[in-house]
Amino acid sequence: MATVSRVKELYAGKAKSVYTTQDPNRLILHFRNDTSAFDGEKIEQLERKGMVNNRFNAFIMERLEAAGIPTQHDHLLSQEESVVKALDMIPVECVVRNIATGSLVKRLGVPDGMDLSPPTFEFFLKNDALHDPMINDYHILTFGWASGEEIETMKRLTFQVNGVLTALFRDAKMLLVDYKLEFGRYQGELVLGDEFTPDGCRLWDSDTRNKLDKDRFRQGLGGVVEAYEEVAHRLGVDLDSPL
Ligand code: 5GP
């Protein structure tokens, strides 16, 4: 494998930074310890979080690839960095919900914790200044954020991810409540980008329904990284294995 290293910072998000490399088709994602909520209003440094999320994301992306879902992930570079394909990102968030909670409950007044059958799907515009407003297919088409075919592919792949991951988490005694995915274009193909970590999904213990995800940070419950490590441990992600 050719060595890849950081050339220039392309973008610094709230929890990750993206760097160009010598290879125009590859970027480096740096998972930082920064943890943010409420569109960046609450920010804290949580020791080990960057490493745990980097390792966790690689594990999940490899599982999804193995199930036939194309992902951006290429390989782990260091404890906090991964090499990924350089995607042309679509500025839209795809959310699937298996259990009602969070913004769905606030918006629609449905009971918190209600099982959703079938699971529901929502699009949001990725725009912090506007607080990521909910949008529909027509907004995406009208404003040219993605084509009709890309919209259908994003829905299909997001539900395919649900099939793979609900089973994976169920076997590890966790409920995949909801999650957010982002997609991008790579050499004519739509590919799962960004990350899949407890920062962008909700995971509850199957028996107690204790929260094992970023809601612990949002709600000031403490034990955030400990919960992420517990999730990793239950799935069999080895956080200490050599790269
Ligand atoms: P809600 O719409 O209930 O706030 O979030 C639904 C799901 O999508 C949750 O799992 C949440 O973590 C994830 N999600 C939605 N928007 C974002 C976002 O901008 N950043 C992150 N990290 N996760 C998000």
Side-chain angles (χ1 to χ4, degrees):
M1 202 179 294
T3 339
V4 188
S5 59
R6 295 181 184 187
V7 170
K8 168 172 153 286
E9 187 178 80
L10 191 61
Y11 172 77
K14 294 187 291 294
K16 295 193 296 298
S17 299
V18 184
Y19 295 86
T20 60
T21 67
Q22 298 79 358
D23 180 346
N25 291 318
R26 291 290 180 272
L27 298 173
I28 291 172
L29 287 189
H30 175 211
F31 290 77
R32 307 192 316 266
N33 285 338
D34 298 288
T35 313
S36 84
F38 314 120
D39 300 316
E41 264 175 49
K42 177 175 177 177
I43 300 178
E44 273 174 39
Q45 290 273 318
L46 299 178
E47 201 70 24
R48 283 173 69 82
K49 199 200 69 148
M51 178 280 289
V52 174
N53 274 3
N54 183 41
R55 290 287 185 130
F56 187 84
N57 179 64
F59 177 89
I60 296 287
M61 292 294 170
E62 283 163 19
R63 290 302 176 101
L64 295 175
E65 281 280 353
I69 296 158
T71 80
Q72 178 181 27
H73 183 71
D74 192 60
H75 64 274
L76 281 172
L77 182 66
S78 69
Q79 285 291 61
E80 293 188 350
E81 297 167 303
S82 286
V83 176
V84 300
K85 294 169 193 146
L87 307 189
D88 167 26
M89 292 303 290
I90 294 175
V92 156
E93 301 181 341
C94 301
V95 170
V96 159
R97 299 174 190 272
N98 296 303
I99 298 177
T101 196
S103 76
L104 181 75
V105 166
K106 287 203 190 104
R107 229 179 311 120
L108 303 183
V110 295
D112 206 314
M114 176 189 177
D115 283 335
L116 301 176
S117 180
T120 195
F121 182 99
E122 296 163 341
F123 281 124
F124 295 88
L125 179 64
K126 203 174 155 60
N127 185 322
D128 274 349
L130 298 176
H131 307 295
D132 294 352
M134 191 162 83
I135 52 172
N136 67 29
D137 303 31
Y138 281 91
H139 296 125
I140 298 176
L141 280 177
T142 300
F143 299 109
W145 293 316
S147 69
E149 191 184 334
E150 287 172 330
I151 290 172
E152 292 317 310
T153 307
M154 286 194 283
K155 289 181 189 168
R156 179 173 55 76
L157 291 176
T158 303
F159 276 113
Q160 207 178 326
V161 166
N162 203 35
V164 176
L165 296 188
T166 45
L168 188 75
F169 287 112
R170 190 189 308 119
D171 290 347
K173 302 276 179 286
M174 287 173 278
L175 298 168
L176 178 58
V177 173
D178 56 27
Y179 57 90
K180 181 261 299 175
L181 301 181
E182 296 178 28
F183 292 88
R185 307 174 183 101
Y186 183 75
Q187 300 178 349
E189 188 185 29
L190 205 74
V191 168
L192 174 60
D194 193 47
E195 65 179 287
F196 192 103
T197 68
D199 270 359
C201 70
R202 289 192 174 98
L203 293 165
W204 293 351
D205 177 89
S206 303
D207 295 329
T208 63
R209 294 208 161 195
N210 280 345
K211 297 176 200 307
L212 299 168
D213 55 68
K214 199 162 96 174
D215 272 353
R216 298 201 71 82
F217 177 72
R218 295 187 186 102
Q219 299 173 8
L221 299 174
V224 181
V225 178
E226 290 78 0
Y228 289 21
E229 287 179 314
E230 169 68 19
V231 173
H233 175 72
R234 288 194 197 183
L235 289 179
V237 183
D238 188 352
L239 298 174
D240 301 312
S241 67
L243 293 165

